Amino acid sequence: MSRGGEMVYIPDDSDFSSFRDQCESLEGWHSQYNKGGVMVWSQTPGESRTVQKIKLRIACKDVPAATLYDVLHDTHYRKKWDSNVIETYDIGRLTANADVGYYAWKCPSPLKNRDFVTLRSWLPLGNDYMIINYSIKHPKYPPRKDFVRAVSLQTGYLVKANGPLACTLYYLTQVDPQGEHPAWHMSRGNATAMKKIYKAGLKYPEWKQKHEPGFKPWVYPEQNTLPSISLAELSLQHADSLENIDESGLAEDRMHISDDEA
C-alpha cells in the first residue's frame, strides 16, 4: 500500500477501490479452507514480496453491515470479544477518517506475542464499509522488548450489506509476523477470528446500549477527542529494519489450537 515510495500517506479513493477489488475477485487466489461458514484463500507472493496474502469471507446473518462496522471500530468492545487482545488503543487522529493505533495480541505458546503500530483509514460507501491499515513508525511507540513487532503491508475489512439485516464480511491481510511464523497457524487463527467477529456482531447492540450508546467517533468525527498527529511525525515500518525471530523449529503439535477453535 506504500505505492512503492517511502512516504507515509492517507489512502485515497483509488486505494479503497483496489482493496475492494481484491476482496471480491477470485482471480489469482487459491482456496485453502472452507469450513464452518468461513472460506479462506491465499495468493502466492510476487517477486517483490515474500509475504503471502490471505483472504477470508464469512456470511453474517442477523447482523446489519453498520453494526459489524461499529464492532470493528469499537476498541472498548474489542477487549470484550477478542480473547487474543493484550492491549489496544487509539494513539491519535490524522483526519476525520484516519488515525494511528496500537494493537498487541497473544500468540499460542511457544511463539512470542506480537504487536503493531498502524495507520488506519476507513470509508463508508452507502450500505458497505471498508477499513484498511498498514504499519508505520511513531517515535513515541518504538518496538518493545516483551513483543515482536509485526508488520502489516496491507490489512483490512470489507463489510457488504446483504439487505438491511445481514452482511458479508471480507478480511484481507498481508502481514509479516516476523520470524518463521507457521502459515497453517495464520490461516486457522484468522478463521477463528472471523467467527468471533460474527458472534460479537450479534451481541453488540445489547452491549452498546449499556456503554455510551451515542458515542461513535468513527461515525461522528466531532466526538473524536484524540490528539492530532502530523504525517511528518510518522515513517514507514519496514520488516527488514526489525530483529528477525527464528521460530521455524516450533512443532505444530505444540501449538495449542484445537479444531474446535479453528
Side-chain angles (χ1 to χ4, degrees):
M1 277 183 57
S2 61
R3 299 178 186 168
E6 293 299 306
M7 297 295 292
V8 173
Y9 72 97
I10 295 170
D12 60 19
D13 287 350
S14 67
D15 294 300
F16 281 105
S17 179
S18 171
F19 178 79
R20 183 177 190 135
D21 288 345
Q22 289 183 73
C23 287
E24 295 181 328
S25 171
L26 289 178
E27 186 176 345
W29 291 92
H30 308 288
S31 178
Q32 298 285 351
Y33 180 99
N34 186 353
K35 184 178 177 183
V38 181
M39 299 186 72
V40 181
W41 297 268
S42 67
Q43 195 172 77
T44 305
E47 290 181 14
S48 62
R49 293 286 190 211
T50 58
V51 184
Q52 196 177 48
K53 276 188 184 178
I54 297 172
K55 175 169 67 176
L56 299 92
R57 185 180 75 194
I58 186 171
C60 302
K61 298 175 184 177
D62 302 317
V63 180
T67 299
L68 210 60
Y69 180 63
D70 290 346
V71 168
L72 294 169
H73 269 289
D74 199 326
T75 54
H76 296 294
Y77 186 56
R78 179 133 201 176
K79 295 163 188 173
K80 175 87 174 170
W81 64 264
D82 186 354
S83 59
N84 291 320
V85 68
I86 296 171
E87 201 173 356
T88 182
Y89 50 83
D90 301 324
I91 293 170
R93 63 190 163 99
L94 293 159
T95 67
N97 73 322
D99 63 15
V100 173
Y102 176 85
Y103 178 73
W105 79 97
K106 301 172 194 168
C107 289
S109 176
L111 293 177
K112 290 190 70 173
N113 295 330
R114 262 68 176 173
D115 70 354
F116 285 117
V117 175
T118 61
L119 187 157
R120 180 181 62 159
S121 187
W122 52 94
L123 181 67
L125 278 176
N127 295 319
D128 299 343
Y129 305 86
M130 283 180 278
I131 305 172
I132 55 180
N133 76 51
Y134 66 94
S135 282
I136 50 91
K137 289 193 281 191
H138 189 295
K140 294 181 181 176
Y141 299 88
R144 293 165 48 170
K145 290 182 179 179
D146 50 337
F147 292 103
V148 174
R149 178 61 49 90
V151 179
S152 167
L153 301 171
Q154 179 188 42
T155 297
Y157 297 96
L158 165 63
V159 186
K160 287 190 65 177
N162 294 335
L165 298 175
C167 63
T168 298
L169 172 65
Y170 291 86
Y171 173 65
L172 187 148
T173 181
Q174 187 177 22
V175 165
D176 187 342
Q178 293 292 283
E180 299 297 327
H181 209 287
W184 61 266
H185 163 62
M186 295 288 287
S187 294
R188 292 177 69 181
N190 284 326
T192 302
M194 293 290 275
K195 293 178 185 176
K196 287 184 176 179
I197 294 169
Y198 176 25
K199 290 177 182 175
L202 291 168
K203 297 176 180 178
Y204 184 72
E206 183 181 356
W207 181 90
K208 188 61 175 171
Q209 277 300 113
K210 301 171 184 174
H211 299 85
E212 298 183 282
F215 184 69
K216 295 181 181 181
W218 52 92
V219 177
Y220 311 110
E222 65 275 9
Q223 296 178 344
N224 195 324
T225 58
L226 291 171
S228 291
I229 293 178
S230 164
L231 281 177
E233 297 177 60
L234 310 173
S235 57
L236 286 180
Q237 177 67 73
H238 292 289
D240 56 13
S241 69
L242 296 166
E243 178 187 4
N244 197 35
I245 309 297
D246 184 6
E247 295 170 316
S248 57
L250 302 178
E252 179 172 344
D253 60 5
R254 293 176 64 196
M255 317 282 284
H256 308 301
I257 298 180
S258 69
D259 281 330
D260 290 338
E261 292 178 276

